[in-house]
Amino acid sequence: MWKELGLDISDEQISELESAIHDIDFVSAAEHERRVRHDVMAHVHTLAERCPRAAPIIHLGATSCYVGDNTDLIVLKHGLDLLLPRLAAIISRLSKFADDYKSIPMLGFTHLQPAQLTTVGKRASLWLSDLLMDERALSRARDDLRFRGVKGTTGTQASFMQLFKGDSAKVRALDERVAELAGFEKRYLVTGQTYSRKVDLEVISALSGLGATVHKMCSDIRILASRKELEEPFEASQIGSSAMPYKRNPMRSERCCALARHLITLHANAANTHAVQWLERTLDDSANRRITLAEGFLTADATLLTLLNITQGLVVYPKVIARHIDQELPFMATENIIMAMVQAGGDRQICHEKIRVLSHQAGAVVKQEGKDNDLIERVKKDSYFKPIIQQLDKILDASTFIGRAPEQVTEFIEEEVKPILAKYKGSLAEVEKPVTLNI
């Protein structure tokens, strides 16, 4: 590009540089870095030794951030390109799970206390909804990425204006062409010495949000596993505990929660780094970013691989779920019983008082004696409720307590999930292959 725009650069110099692209003397670079204490200049010196004819034009008009920041932007873009199909694979697997179990009633919980019924698939759709938000956030972060391009030491492009003898059009053309060759349609029109660390914050924020989603989902799975209603995959020879052979610990979900918490904490790190970049830049971002950006992507990748393994093998125990419903549904059905009695000619206030007394008695049996909920048996034995005894089975049908949950799941998958998955149609087959966790 420099030559195309008129700088005195020979074909021999370009050929020499091209021949050295994959021939890097890292030992020499390390030795130079020990001496000059500057990573980019160490490689400039190493390349100059390898390409003596091109040495005079290496790093011409550039600053270290031309190399480092532009490289980081390429890496961020490729990193998001790797993570997004993994996330799409999880969304695909979980949407099938939600659809398969959309009509299976189970206890809903508010305040971690039994509440109105939901369904297995409807609960999974809540996890899916969060994951779709993460897909949008990661996609937006990827699509918003631009290239720093050639901006010079403080972002003014002064050195390039000097090289091109004040020809602003050529400097702009150089900036555009370099961005294009790096695979970016757009570039940041204004920068300091670096691209704004707000860019890092936006990317890490999306990864951190993914961490929050995964932690919530896997915490739910751990709670459901403790109730024996749902389990993550558990292999035939897997050991849950070194001391307690019967244990089936949800170690995959626990691992996801552990990794997700680390992802969540990285948001504050990136925010603080951006906040203290004085004026055109300071160097206290460098060491931090080398850790934070790498850890963010590596942690997200490990988390998504583990979560994909979980979603590929979720196990549901309908009979346990039904037993738990049986323990709570009589209380939830009391209003329906009252309504049935009123329709049969009863007085609502009298019925309400009778149900209140019987409910408290049944509750005492459950809490104080550790026995099963016997409210319905008490209702059947009370002659007051004789007009609706034949209706009780219908009143206690769990499927009548789930509202539009099955329809909601179907509508959600059709209207929101499938359009997102359509973006990844070409890559899903590969990333949805069964994942085996070696440790």
Side-chain angles (χ1 to χ4, degrees):
M1 271 304 299
W2 275 253
K3 180 182 179 181
E4 289 175 18
L5 291 169
L7 292 190
D8 185 16
I9 297 173
S10 69
D11 290 337
E12 290 76 18
Q13 287 174 313
I14 294 173
S15 296
E16 188 178 50
L17 288 171
E18 289 177 341
S19 69
I21 290 175
H22 301 294
D23 183 17
I24 303 171
D25 189 343
F26 289 102
V27 174
S28 175
E31 180 57 36
H32 278 296
E33 187 167 357
R34 278 192 292 271
R35 182 173 56 83
V36 302
R37 311 304 298 172
H38 194 289
D39 54 355
V40 173
M41 283 306 297
H43 279 276
V44 168
H45 285 305
T46 300
L47 184 58
E49 291 169 353
R50 170 66 175 75
C51 304
R53 285 179 294 178
I57 64 167
I58 294 173
H59 209 56
L60 190 61
T63 184
S64 298
C65 289
Y66 167 72
V67 178
D69 272 32
N70 282 326
T71 299
D72 286 342
L73 290 164
I74 293 171
V75 171
L76 290 177
K77 183 180 178 183
H78 288 179
L80 290 168
D81 283 341
L82 289 172
L83 292 182
L84 279 164
R86 291 206 197 287
L87 177 56
I90 292 167
I91 291 171
S92 177
R93 297 294 302 186
L94 195 56
S95 65
K96 184 179 187 307
F97 176 86
D99 191 50
D100 288 344
Y101 291 94
K102 64 186 176 185
S103 300
I104 304 296
M106 76 184 315
L107 286 176
F109 284 82
T110 59
H111 312 275
L112 203 55
Q113 303 298 314
Q116 195 173 69
L117 300 189
T118 183
T119 71
V120 176
K122 174 61 192 298
R123 177 170 283 144
S125 75
L126 301 182
W127 304 333
L128 262 176
S129 181
D130 288 349
L131 290 169
L132 290 186
M133 293 176 68
D134 294 314
E135 192 281 336
R136 286 194 290 271
L138 289 170
S139 290
R140 183 166 57 247
R142 181 201 177 282
D143 294 342
D144 284 349
L145 283 176
R146 301 184 180 192
F147 206 55
R148 178 189 176 274
V150 288
K151 297 297 194 297
T153 54
T154 59
T156 64
Q157 298 178 308
S159 58
F160 295 99
M161 285 291 284
Q162 184 175 354
L163 282 172
F164 289 100
K165 297 180 173 54
D167 191 332
S168 180
K170 285 186 177 181
V171 175
R172 181 183 174 92
L174 175 67
D175 199 18
E176 292 175 344
R177 182 60 175 149
V178 168
E180 181 185 342
L181 290 172
F184 286 79
E185 295 181 3
K186 297 180 179 180
R187 65 200 191 286
Y188 299 109
L189 296 182
V190 293
T191 72
Q193 187 175 95
T194 68
Y195 68 77
S196 172
R197 298 318 183 210
K198 184 80 170 181
V199 175
D200 294 342
L201 177 55
E202 287 189 345
V203 173
I204 292 296
S205 178
L207 295 177
S208 180
L210 173 64
T213 294
V214 173
H215 201 293
K216 197 276 183 194
M217 174 181 171
C218 289
S219 294
D220 285 355
I221 291 173
R222 291 162 67 188
I223 291 170
L224 294 172
S226 76
R227 294 173 55 79
K228 298 179 174 59
E229 295 186 346
L230 180 146
E231 279 186 345
E232 64 179 34
F234 196 93
E235 296 167 23
S237 59
Q238 183 175 331
I239 295 174
S241 167
S242 62
M244 296 167 280
Y246 63 90
K247 295 287 289 294
R248 294 173 68 93
N249 298 336
M251 67 89 171
R252 291 165 170 81
S253 297
E254 290 171 324
R255 180 184 298 175
C256 280
C257 286
L259 293 169
R261 280 201 302 275
H262 183 58
L263 268 182
I264 292 169
T265 66
L266 294 179
H267 180 272
N269 201 338
N272 280 302
T273 295
H274 172 57
V276 299
Q277 282 298 285
W278 305 339
L279 306 176
E280 276 63 53
R281 76 85 49 103
T282 59
L283 195 60
D284 58 339
D285 65 333
S286 180
N288 184 293
R289 293 174 65 251
R290 294 178 193 216
I291 298 170
T292 302
L293 295 177
E295 284 191 355
F297 279 87
L298 290 171
T299 304
D301 188 57
T303 303
L304 290 175
L305 279 172
T306 308
L307 188 59
L308 180 56
N309 176 264
I310 292 172
T311 57
Q312 287 174 340
L314 281 174
V315 180
V316 178
Y317 296 106
K319 291 185 178 180
V320 176
I321 292 172
R323 186 169 73 244
H324 289 158
I325 290 175
D326 289 343
Q327 291 297 306
E328 302 293 341
L329 191 58
F331 294 136
M332 298 176 190
T334 52
E335 184 177 6
N336 291 15
I337 292 174
I338 292 172
M339 294 300 100
M341 277 298 299
V342 170
Q343 291 174 353
D347 183 297
R348 186 205 180 273
Q349 309 314 321
I350 294 175
C351 184
H352 183 279
E353 178 60 18
K354 283 186 172 291
I355 285 290
R356 185 189 70 81
V357 172
L358 294 178
S359 295
H360 282 239
Q361 292 172 350
V365 167
V366 172
K367 294 177 181 178
Q368 297 173 15
E369 300 179 28
K371 296 181 179 178
D372 290 341
N373 187 335
D374 64 356
L375 174 58
I376 299 305
E377 293 305 314
R378 292 175 184 274
V379 169
K380 288 179 178 179
K381 291 177 181 178
D382 191 322
S383 60
Y384 176 81
F385 295 98
K386 186 176 180 180
I388 64 162
I389 295 299
Q390 300 302 319
Q391 300 179 43
L392 284 178
D393 286 345
K394 183 178 180 180
I395 292 172
L396 291 166
D397 181 355
S399 65
T400 65
F401 286 80
I402 59 175
R404 294 189 67 251
E407 290 86 354
Q408 286 180 337
V409 173
T410 298
E411 291 165 2
F412 175 63
I413 291 174
E414 290 296 323
E415 297 177 24
E416 297 195 31
V417 177
K418 287 187 176 180
I420 294 296
L421 291 180
K423 293 165 45 179
Y424 301 93
K425 188 175 181 180
S427 58
L428 277 180
E430 179 63 26
V431 294
E432 278 192 310
K433 289 181 179 178
V435 174
T436 301
L437 298 183
N438 294 323
I439 56 172

